[in-house]
Every structure is written in structure tokens, then in C-alpha cells.
Amino acid sequence: MRLVDEYIEQLPEELQMICTLIRKQVLSLVPAVEEKFSFGIPFYHYFGMFLYLNPTANGIAVSFCRGKDLLTAFPQLQQKNRAIVASIIIKEKKDMLRLELNQLIIAAAEWNREAKIKKIPMVKKKKSGIKTKSRRS
């Protein structure tokens, strides 16, 4: 996609190669993935929002939209204060192997597909209703 190409080209030189490598991995490991340019960054859809690539001061954050569900299997993911998204930071090519990027992409894609089929929402709906305090006489 041209917008993603342009986005990568404007990144600092040290991040261009890493972002390009990650992009190639996503596109090759999940052939049916749809690449978009959303919210000013590369975004990938596979049975819904799947992952996005975001440059940080420390490298490229590979952020999985249902990452919270992958934390047990992939403790290298960092959720921080986010409700559903969890990420890893790739600074160098060797980080891709060390942080198991390929396995993460494959597992995340499979989970997105399964969750869509089973109609599992990304965020659980809060129970509606007004809570009232009981009064004692």
C-alpha cells in the first residue's frame, strides 16, 4: 500500500529497515491480512483489528489488538495501562527472533480468527443499570 510505503520512508533511517522487516513478516505469515493506513500508522486487519506498527523512542512497537488474551502464552508482551492492546518493541533484527515475533503473529492471527467465529468481543461490556445504596431505617 502506497501510504504505508510513504510512512516507512519518512521514519528515521534506523527504524525504516526494522519496520520494513516486520511488515514483510506480517504480510507473509498472514496472507489474508489487510494492510491499511489508519490513525496515521500502518494497521493490519485480519478478522477484525489485528495489529499495528508504531514507532517509539526505543524502536517499532508491534501492538496486538487482542494482546491481553496472549499475555499468558507470551509474557514478553507489555500491556502497560491499556485495556486490550499489548506490544513488544523491536529495535534490532535480532529482537524479532528473541521476542518470538513470528510465533506471536501466528498465534495472534489464529486467536483473532477464532474470537471472530465465536463472537468473543474485544472488550467485555459493562453491566448497565444504576447501582443504588440500600437504606437502613
Side-chain angles (χ1 to χ4, degrees):
M1 165 174 249
R2 185 70 200 139
L3 288 174
V4 176
D5 292 335
E6 291 171 3
Y7 174 82
I8 292 172
E9 289 168 8
Q10 62 80 33
L11 290 173
E13 192 173 322
E14 63 275 8
L15 295 181
Q16 287 180 21
M17 183 194 73
I18 295 299
C19 196
T20 299
L21 287 172
I22 297 167
R23 178 189 191 194
K24 285 180 181 177
Q25 288 304 104
V26 172
L27 295 172
S28 69
L29 292 170
V30 189
V33 75
E34 185 180 352
E35 183 178 60
K36 296 184 178 186
F37 192 72
S38 303
F39 308 105
I41 56 175
F43 224 100
Y44 298 85
H45 292 249
Y46 182 73
F47 292 93
M49 292 188 302
F50 173 46
L51 69 83
Y52 57 91
L53 306 178
N54 199 15
T56 70
N58 300 320
I60 300 291
V62 182
S63 301
F64 296 89
C65 297
R66 288 183 174 268
K68 71 167 175 58
D69 298 332
L70 303 169
L71 291 170
T72 302
F74 296 96
Q76 66 270 40
L77 285 167
Q78 297 179 357
Q79 191 174 9
K80 300 186 180 178
N81 292 324
R82 299 172 291 191
I84 57 173
V85 175
S87 306
I88 58 170
I89 304 291
I90 306 292
K91 187 172 187 165
E92 302 172 316
K93 186 176 179 178
K94 65 182 179 182
D95 294 337
M96 295 170 69
L97 184 59
R98 181 178 61 82
L99 294 170
E100 302 177 309
L101 180 61
N102 286 359
Q103 295 90 327
L104 256 167
I105 292 169
I106 292 166
E110 178 55 31
W111 174 235
N112 257 43
R113 187 187 69 75
E114 185 179 332
K116 182 73 167 192
I117 291 167
K118 292 181 177 179
K119 299 181 180 174
I120 299 170
M122 278 193 174
V123 180
K124 291 182 182 177
K125 293 181 182 177
K126 293 182 180 180
K127 292 181 181 178
S128 61
I130 300 171
K131 292 185 178 183
T132 57
K133 293 182 181 178
S134 61
R135 294 185 182 185
R136 294 188 182 192
S137 312

